[in-house]
């Protein structure tokens, strides 16, 4: 659709000269800015016009991290409910999730919990998640405070960022942090689990993402 | 392909109306409802909410999926390169025994290199062939165990690079050699089209073929790249082919000579000419392994180069006339190496009536287990009129698709008369406790041995057996092939993963040919089912069918689980004879699962995961091994 004919994209996608390949998935309610976020990161472009993503899309970007070339295949999903069957099919291949809400939209924040449930239902257990509050340039329309976001992230046991795709704030940081987390996970999983490679497939399953202390501050 | 779910996004799957599974998870998370039904308006504000996907949407999504598949193929090729590198490393390891370095083969000692033990495999390597984990990684280990031999270090790298660390197993990959085979095949087809229609538009012609192959529903481990990339690879082929044309004229020379000298007219039907051509080409290149691989590629090119010469008949010299006949046959039956090839030699001793058969090796066999490897062995027999005395097998070579058998098998009492009528049947089978899976076969007519004492063969394996459809084996072949394996009977099972119920539905349909265990000549069979590992330790049992060796159950059982879990779980099916007053007799067992099974059983399991909400029926043989 958008990048299909782009020769640069093709070169990037066909390139085999990298060390690791991570598949990431951006999820969140409709119109929180997932596509803008991805375009900012991959193409460094931004448009404020809202075009709803049809089903799924992805972009490829190769980054350097710790002397390693990491190829990221970043999946952008449609937030709309009607595409849910398609989007959930891609959860299983994803190593990392960017769970996004819109700081000017209470509804999108309240849905975070449901998205977490979706992740737990469809993804591999050791997938990594980062919570992102987007559109933090729109300070005047803010309805979700930084603290509330932070608190929810702690509750879920994930890391938290506030970003702006429009002003290019923290966009790169989110991806870099996610890559770091996955890298850490990778070296841990091989060092701590020597049975893993013996091939029997009976290596211990990693448990669910650690759950933070239950503070009782329910955001309902 | 992904189920686009146009129709299935009905009310049931709406986000605000979760099913039990989601409720259970919610309960676990100790959170309440975050979406209030009152605020539903924001969801349903889109008027098209529950409408099926439009044409353009469909196209857009298919477009993305195709792009993704293209990337997946690239990725599989990349992983294939890594795997091959590791395989080469393993193959080139020289060390024999604990006194030598595993890799370089240097003998340890006071003057020799100092030895260190690899943490992962526990074998000894010299310091040059091992890396210090402490210096590379940050994990603090005990002082002694921090060395990794190069092979294990490489294995770890592959686990990281392929993403296997995350998915807990090496993902699907395409070995560099495989892709070459694949290309050759598509090239040959393009040539056939050209012959038929004398059109130069190769690219358009190949596509329907590829599409047809995709739609045919056969499970091929190495997917053909989608259409766009096939265009790309095809142009590559053409380039490659034209480059090799020069070379071919040289390479073909010995072949032509051989074909010319051979006396094909004596018994033209008894011998498959293409096999001889194969054999010769293989022999001509009897050098290192790599050169043999090259020969495979060049050979299949030579196949179609001949069809070129056909068009210019008048140019053929009398000495190469025999090629013509072989060309026609080759064209009728294009050599298909998708099942792999096998190298062997036959030697007949007229004085003692002994047939010596040496099985050297097989290459590029089809994969059987989840790691893409097999445990092949060969069964040899003289057909027709199979006898137990003429049933021989090679040893099993484990965890490889390129086994080196190097084994000599001897058939006694083979008369010259037998040679004229009979054929050597070679069957390659995957060795597995729970059933031996078919990996291809080849029949070699023995008539040729009347003329020539020794022949060398490099032949492609054929797939002559359709998937097992029913419980009763086809008479002639199976009698000797599966005789020892089918004694416990068969079971027809239907598997279905229901996304609605979030459960694996297992239907025990029927059993056939069970063993009689009771004095009355019957058994009273029932089937036990268990999914392992399962945190809830659920077990299911069918009813008992009294005095019946072919019981029909049609009973369905549900195991609640997630699709991702299923890759790790296995279904244990055991059949017992119900007895009162003493313990039940064991009739047979079967394991289906991601980690525990191979071949047909693995395929059945994976199909069930890949295509949820469909019933997958399949017969399986029961094993006599008692499952824990």
């Amino acid at each position: 659709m958008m990048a299909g004919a782009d020769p640069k994209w093709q070169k990037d996608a066909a390139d085999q000269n990298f060390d690791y390949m991570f598949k990431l998935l951006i999820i969140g309610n409709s119109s929180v800015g997932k596509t803008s976020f991805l375009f900012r990161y991959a193409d460094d472009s931004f448009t404020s016009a809202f075009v709803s993503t049809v089903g799924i899309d992805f972009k490829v970007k190769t980054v350097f991290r710790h002397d390693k070339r990491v190829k990221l295949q970043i999946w952008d999903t449609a937030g709309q409910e009607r595409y849910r069957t398609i989007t959930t099919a891609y959860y299983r291949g994803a190593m990392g999730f960017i769970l996004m809400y819109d700081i000017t939209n209470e509804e999108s924040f309240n849905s975070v919990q449901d998205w977490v449930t979706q992740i737990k239902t469809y993804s591999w257990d050791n997938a990594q998640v980062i919570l992102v509050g987007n559109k933090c340039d729109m300070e005047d329309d803010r309805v979700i405070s930084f603290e509330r976001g932070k608190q929810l992230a702690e509750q879920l046991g994930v890391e938290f960022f506030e970003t702006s795709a429009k002003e290019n704030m923290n966009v790169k940081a989110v991806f870099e942090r996610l890559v770091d987390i996955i890298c850490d996970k990778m070296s841990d999983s091989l060092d701590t689990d020597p049975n893993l490679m013996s091939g029997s497939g009976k290596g211990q399953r990693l448990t669910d993402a650690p759950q933070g202390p239950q503070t009782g501050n329910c955001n309902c | 392909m992904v189920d686009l779910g146009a129709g299935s996004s009905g009310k049931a799957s709406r986000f605000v109306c979760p099913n039990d599974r989601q409720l259970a998870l919610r309960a676990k998370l100790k959170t309440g409802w975050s979406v209030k039904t009152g605020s539903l308006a924001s969801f349903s504000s889109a008027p098209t909410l529950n409408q099926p996907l439009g044409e353009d949407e469909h196209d857009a999504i298919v477009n993305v999926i195709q792009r993704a598949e293209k990337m997946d193929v690239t990725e599989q090729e990349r992983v294939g390169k890594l795997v091959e590198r590791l395989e080469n490393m393993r193959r080139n390891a020289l060390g024999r025994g604990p006194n030598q370095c595993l890799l370089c083969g240097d003998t340890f000692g006071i003057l020799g290199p100092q030895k260190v033990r690899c943490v992962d495999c526990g074998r000894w390597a010299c310091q040059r062939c091992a890396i210090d984990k402490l210096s590379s990684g940050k994990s603090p280990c005990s002082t002694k165990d921090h060395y990794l031999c190069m092979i294990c270090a490489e294995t770890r790298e592959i686990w990281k690079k392929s993403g296997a660390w995350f998915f807990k197993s090496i993902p699907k990959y395409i070995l560099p050699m495989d892709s070459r085979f694949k290309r050759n095949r598509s090239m040959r087809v393009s040539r056939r089209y050209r012959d038929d229609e004398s059109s130069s538009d190769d690219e358009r012609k190949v596509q329907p073929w590829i599409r047809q192959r995709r739609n045919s529903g056969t499970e091929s481990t190495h997917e053909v790249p989608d259409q766009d990339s096939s265009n790309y690879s095809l142009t590559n082929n053409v380039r490659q082919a034209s480059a090799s044309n020069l070379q071919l004229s040289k390479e073909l020379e010995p072949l032509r000579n051989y074909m010319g000298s051979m006396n094909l007219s004596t018994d033209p039907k008894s011998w498959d000419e293409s096999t001889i051509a194969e054999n010769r080409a293989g022999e001509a290149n009897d050098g290192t392994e790599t050169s043999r691989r090259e020969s495979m590629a060049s050979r299949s090119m030579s196949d179609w180069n001949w069809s070129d010469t056909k068009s210019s008949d008048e140019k053929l010299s009398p000495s190469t006339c025999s090629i013509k006949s072989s060309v026609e046959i080759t064209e009728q039956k294009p050599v298909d190496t998708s099942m792999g090839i096998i190298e062997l030699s036959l030697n007949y001793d007229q004085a003692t009536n002994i047939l010596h058969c040496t099985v050297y090796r097989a290459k590029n066999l089809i994969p059987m287990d989840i790691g893409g490897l097999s445990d092949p062995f060969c069964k040899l027999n003289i057909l027709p009129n199979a006898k137990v005395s003429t049933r021989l097998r090679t040893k099993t070579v484990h965890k490889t698709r390129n086994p080196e058998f190097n084994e000599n098998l001897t058939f006694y009492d083979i008369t010259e008369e037998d040679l004229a009528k009979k054929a050597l049947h070679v069957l390659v089978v995957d060795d597995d406790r729970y059933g031996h899976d078919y990996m291809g076969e080849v029949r070699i007519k023995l008539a040729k041995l009347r003329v020539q004492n020794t022949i060398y063969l490099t032949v492609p394996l054929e797939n002559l057996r359709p998937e097992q459809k029913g419980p009763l084996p086809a008479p002639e072949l199976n009698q000797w092939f599966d005789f020892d394996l089918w004694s416990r009977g068969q079971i027809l099972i239907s598997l279905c993963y229901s996304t609605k119920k979030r459960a694996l539905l297992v239907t025990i349909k029927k059993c056939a040919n069970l063993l009689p265990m009771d004095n009355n000549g019957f058994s009273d069979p029932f089937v036990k089912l268990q999914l392992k590992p399962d945190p809830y330790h659920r077990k299911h049992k069918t009813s008992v069918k009294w005095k019946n060796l072919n019981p029909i159950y049609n009973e369905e059982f549900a195991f609640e689980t997630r699709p991702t879990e299923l890759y790790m779980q296995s279904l244990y099916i055991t059949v017992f004879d119900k007895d009162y007053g003493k313990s039940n007799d064991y009739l047979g067992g079967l394991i289906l699962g991601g980690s525990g099974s191979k071949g047909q059983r693995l395929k059945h399991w994976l199909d069930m995961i890949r295509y949820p909400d469909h019933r997958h029926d399949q017969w399986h043989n029961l094993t006599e091994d008692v499952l824990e």
Side-chain angles (χ1 to χ4, degrees):
Chain A
M1 191 180 65
M2 55 185 186
D6 186 1
K8 181 185 164 290
W9 180 86
Q10 284 197 333
K11 188 179 135 275
D12 229 16
D15 180 26
Q16 291 194 8
N17 192 20
F18 55 88
D19 296 301
Y20 308 133
M21 174 147 144
F22 294 162
K23 294 189 181 183
L24 312 178
L25 199 66
I26 310 179
I27 56 172
N29 273 15
S30 186
S31 81
V32 296
K34 297 181 291 297
T35 306
S36 302
F37 191 74
L38 176 57
F39 271 56
R40 171 59 80 190
Y41 182 64
D43 302 341
D44 201 21
S45 64
F46 181 82
T47 167
S48 38
F50 174 65
V51 183
S52 175
T53 305
V54 177
I56 37 160
D57 199 358
F58 71 89
K59 280 190 172 282
V60 178
K61 192 177 166 93
T62 309
V63 294
F64 282 86
R65 205 78 191 134
H66 312 297
D67 305 325
K68 297 284 184 198
R69 285 152 304 184
V70 182
K71 182 162 161 179
L72 301 177
Q73 186 186 25
I74 311 161
W75 286 89
D76 176 23
T77 64
Q80 283 180 29
E81 172 62 28
R82 60 190 300 254
Y83 299 114
R84 198 57 44 81
T85 341
I86 305 162
T87 52
T88 49
Y90 287 84
Y91 281 41
R92 215 175 60 75
M95 299 179 180
F97 285 84
I98 294 173
L99 204 177
M100 190 173 289
Y101 67 88
D102 175 359
I103 64 156
T104 68
N105 182 340
E106 175 95 33
E107 182 60 50
S108 71
F109 182 73
N110 290 339
S111 298
V112 166
Q113 199 59 255
D114 294 291
W115 288 107
V116 171
T117 314
Q118 293 263 314
I119 295 174
K120 287 195 187 298
T121 313
Y122 295 106
S123 78
W124 281 83
D125 283 343
N126 48 358
Q128 302 300 305
V129 185
I130 285 190
L131 182 66
V132 168
N134 197 22
K135 307 194 188 176
C136 72
D137 54 293
M138 294 163 78
E139 206 51 59
D140 296 344
D141 298 322
R142 178 192 279 275
V143 290
I144 308 296
S145 66
F146 182 83
E147 283 68 34
R148 276 184 74 187
K150 185 87 191 148
Q151 207 166 40
L152 178 62
E154 272 170 18
Q155 221 178 69
L156 298 170
V158 301
E159 301 213 16
F160 175 65
F161 284 88
E162 276 200 355
T163 65
S164 165
K166 190 178 178 185
E167 303 293 331
N168 199 2
M169 286 162 66
N170 269 344
V171 176
K172 208 173 165 201
V174 168
F175 282 101
E176 283 177 352
R177 184 64 201 137
L178 191 51
V179 169
D180 284 354
I181 296 176
I182 296 174
C183 279
D184 289 348
K185 196 85 194 170
M186 177 164 69
S187 21
D188 281 358
S189 71
L190 288 183
D191 283 340
T192 57
D193 195 358
N195 303 327
L196 189 65
M197 281 179 295
S198 56
S200 64
K202 282 179 183 159
Q204 70 189 71
R205 305 298 314 276
L206 297 170
T207 47
D208 287 0
Q211 288 179 22
Q214 301 288 335
T215 51
N217 282 345
C218 183
N219 285 307
C220 297
Chain B
M1 271 287 204
V2 179
D3 171 26
L4 293 180
S8 65
S9 60
K11 291 232 169 196
S13 66
R14 286 185 58 173
F15 194 39
V16 292
C17 185
N19 59 18
D20 293 351
R21 169 88 186 153
Q22 280 166 320
L23 283 173
L25 280 164
R26 250 184 244 270
K28 238 192 257 176
L29 289 168
K30 297 207 174 87
T31 57
W33 288 85
S34 56
V35 178
K36 298 182 184 67
T37 40
S39 56
L40 247 177
S42 70
F43 274 108
S44 48
S45 61
T48 54
L49 183 62
N50 283 324
Q51 278 175 16
L53 294 174
E55 188 85 359
D56 48 340
E57 286 175 304
H58 186 270
D59 289 350
I61 290 167
V62 167
N63 189 8
V64 170
I65 291 172
Q66 279 176 357
R67 263 170 58 213
E69 280 182 358
K70 209 187 298 180
M71 242 188 98
D72 286 346
V73 171
T74 324
E75 176 66 7
Q76 283 167 21
E77 281 172 0
R78 185 182 73 102
V79 176
K81 279 183 201 162
L82 295 171
V83 170
E84 198 191 37
R85 208 177 104 97
L86 178 66
E87 284 298 311
N88 285 339
M89 234 165 129
R90 287 222 174 101
R91 211 173 293 140
N92 295 334
L94 295 169
R96 302 276 176 271
N99 292 326
Q100 287 183 342
C101 169
L102 171 69
L103 285 114
C104 62
D106 283 358
T107 311
F108 301 122
I110 306 166
L111 296 171
Q114 201 191 339
K115 64 177 180 180
V116 290
R117 197 188 187 100
C118 169
V119 189
D120 277 8
C121 63
R123 287 181 292 188
W124 298 96
C126 70
Q127 266 177 327
R128 268 180 302 139
C129 298
I131 56 162
D132 196 339
K133 232 170 77 180
L134 284 185
S135 60
S136 60
K138 56 187 169 52
S139 61
C141 304
S142 62
T143 44
K144 257 189 167 178
D145 298 332
H146 52 81
Y147 281 100
L148 278 175
C149 72
M150 286 303 199
I151 291 179
C152 289
E154 187 72 16
T155 310
R156 283 192 180 208
E157 274 303 294
I158 287 190
W159 273 73
K160 284 182 180 177
K161 287 183 172 179
S162 66
W165 66 272
F166 185 83
F167 300 108
K168 312 276 192 250
S169 66
I170 299 272
K172 222 162 93 169
Y173 57 83
I174 302 171
L175 286 174
M177 191 179 151
D178 295 342
S179 56
R180 200 186 322 169
F181 270 116
K182 192 175 65 199
R183 245 184 262 148
N184 284 325
R185 246 186 294 160
S186 67
M187 193 163 60
R188 188 176 306 121
V189 168
S190 75
R191 177 56 49 154
R192 260 205 311 215
Y193 276 115
R194 179 180 282 187
D195 284 346
D196 290 343
E197 300 174 41
S198 64
S199 150
S200 62
D201 195 359
D202 272 344
E203 288 168 29
R204 218 188 305 149
K205 294 274 152 51
V206 171
Q207 280 187 25
W209 174 72
I210 286 173
R211 227 174 269 143
Q212 179 197 334
R213 214 192 108 165
R214 303 185 120 214
N215 296 340
S216 67
T218 53
E219 181 71 26
S220 69
T221 11
H222 310 296
E223 271 179 51
V224 179
D226 47 295
Q227 293 142 23
D228 305 34
S229 71
S230 76
N231 273 346
Y232 170 70
S233 69
L234 193 78
T235 43
N236 251 358
N237 293 333
V238 172
R239 214 176 301 139
Q240 203 185 326
S242 61
S244 63
N245 264 344
L246 290 169
Q247 214 185 311
L248 270 174
S249 52
K250 243 186 286 166
E251 261 180 53
L252 274 178
E253 214 43 53
L255 265 173
R256 282 205 182 117
N257 293 341
Y258 178 75
M259 298 300 285
S261 68
M262 228 168 57
N263 196 0
L264 285 173
S265 55
T266 50
D267 200 354
K269 283 224 164 167
S270 70
W271 197 254
D272 184 356
E273 279 82 350
S274 66
T275 24
I276 301 172
E278 290 280 330
N279 154 34
R280 268 295 137 172
E283 222 185 329
N285 283 292
D286 205 23
T288 60
E289 181 143 327
T290 42
S291 80
R292 209 174 284 125
R293 283 183 187 185
E294 293 300 329
S295 84
M296 282 306 295
S298 65
R299 192 182 315 153
S300 37
M301 272 178 214
S302 61
D303 282 347
W304 66 259
N305 197 54
W306 290 351
S307 49
D308 260 358
T309 54
K310 193 184 75 162
S311 58
S312 52
D313 270 357
E314 60 276 19
K315 282 186 208 160
L316 286 172
S317 66
S319 71
T320 54
C321 268
S322 54
I323 292 179
K324 221 170 64 183
S325 64
S326 84
V327 164
E328 272 144 29
I329 287 161
T330 320
E331 276 206 293
Q332 278 163 12
K333 284 201 283 180
V335 181
D336 181 11
T337 52
S338 60
M339 298 291 285
I341 53 165
I342 188 161
E343 288 181 41
L344 49 110
S345 77
L346 299 175
N347 174 288
Y348 182 63
D349 189 341
Q350 283 159 327
T352 51
N353 285 358
I354 290 175
L355 175 66
H356 296 281
C357 177
T358 310
V359 183
Y360 296 107
R361 58 186 71 79
K363 289 216 197 85
N364 211 32
L365 296 174
I366 53 171
M368 277 291 162
D369 65 6
I370 201 153
L373 296 172
S374 314
D375 304 303
F377 70 92
C378 302
K379 286 190 165 193
L380 285 82
N381 206 349
I382 307 288
L383 295 179
N385 302 329
K387 284 177 282 186
V388 178
S389 63
T390 57
R391 194 168 109 187
L392 301 173
R393 63 162 285 179
T394 67
K395 286 194 212 66
T396 304
V397 183
H398 286 284
K399 293 271 167 217
T400 179
R401 290 174 56 200
N402 301 303
E404 295 276 341
F405 295 110
N406 287 326
E407 219 169 310
N408 207 336
L409 303 167
T410 313
F411 294 94
Y412 295 97
D413 288 335
I414 306 292
T415 60
E416 294 217 31
E417 211 173 295
D418 286 337
L419 289 185
K421 285 191 209 143
K422 295 191 174 182
L424 173 71
H425 185 266
V426 183
L427 180 79
V428 186
V429 197
D430 184 62
D431 196 356
D432 182 22
R433 271 175 70 198
Y434 306 110
H436 294 195
D437 283 289
Y438 179 79
M439 296 174 73
E441 64 188 278
V442 63
R443 263 174 204 246
I444 299 159
K445 292 254 162 62
L446 295 174
K448 180 67 191 158
L449 281 170
R450 291 198 297 175
V451 187
Q452 201 175 330
N453 268 346
T454 307
I455 52 174
Y456 293 91
L457 295 159
T458 305
V459 285
L461 292 166
E462 292 173 80
N463 184 4
L464 299 178
R465 181 184 295 219
E467 270 183 50
Q468 192 182 329
K469 288 284 188 311
L472 295 170
E476 194 220 24
L477 198 57
N478 285 307
Q479 216 172 5
W480 65 271
F481 165 45
D482 282 328
F483 184 75
D484 47 341
L485 299 163
W486 290 46
S487 57
R488 290 282 168 159
Q490 297 85 35
I491 186 166
L492 177 60
I493 297 168
S494 165
L495 296 179
C496 169
Y497 185 78
S498 164
T499 47
K500 218 172 239 174
K501 294 185 186 162
R502 274 170 218 287
L504 167 66
L505 306 179
V506 183
T507 310
I508 303 296
K509 297 206 150 172
K510 51 182 154 184
C511 297
N513 308 325
L514 295 176
L515 279 189
M517 281 291 180
D518 295 344
N519 289 336
N520 56 17
F522 289 102
S523 290
D524 308 315
F526 68 98
V527 184
K528 279 194 197 172
L529 297 106
Q530 197 178 357
L531 196 64
K532 290 181 185 176
D534 175 17
Y536 310 110
H537 302 290
R538 281 163 304 193
K539 289 177 186 166
H540 293 296
K541 234 188 258 185
T542 66
S543 57
V544 179
K545 301 288 175 197
W546 301 99
K547 290 176 79 172
N548 200 338
L549 295 179
N550 298 291
I552 297 172
Y553 297 102
N554 285 324
E555 293 179 42
E556 186 178 83
F557 305 96
F559 293 93
E560 272 172 45
T561 181
R562 285 167 37 175
T564 51
E565 299 284 346
L566 279 173
Y567 282 98
M568 292 298 155
Q569 288 173 318
S570 297
L571 183 66
Y572 285 65
I573 297 162
T574 41
V575 187
F576 286 92
D577 170 44
K578 181 76 187 171
D579 281 318
Y580 287 113
K582 53 179 179 144
S583 61
N584 296 328
D585 293 318
Y586 183 77
L587 289 174
L590 171 69
I591 298 181
L592 296 172
S595 56
S597 62
K598 294 162 65 184
Q600 286 299 321
R601 295 162 299 291
L602 178 64
K603 184 175 176 297
H604 193 191
W605 192 256
L606 293 181
D607 280 350
M608 173 271 294
I609 302 174
R610 275 187 211 137
Y611 309 108
D613 297 319
H614 287 279
R615 299 201 157 272
H616 303 274
D617 290 14
Q618 201 168 324
W619 281 99
H620 293 285
N621 296 327
L622 293 167
T623 173
E624 58 189 353
D625 289 319
V626 179
L627 315 177
E628 326 104 51

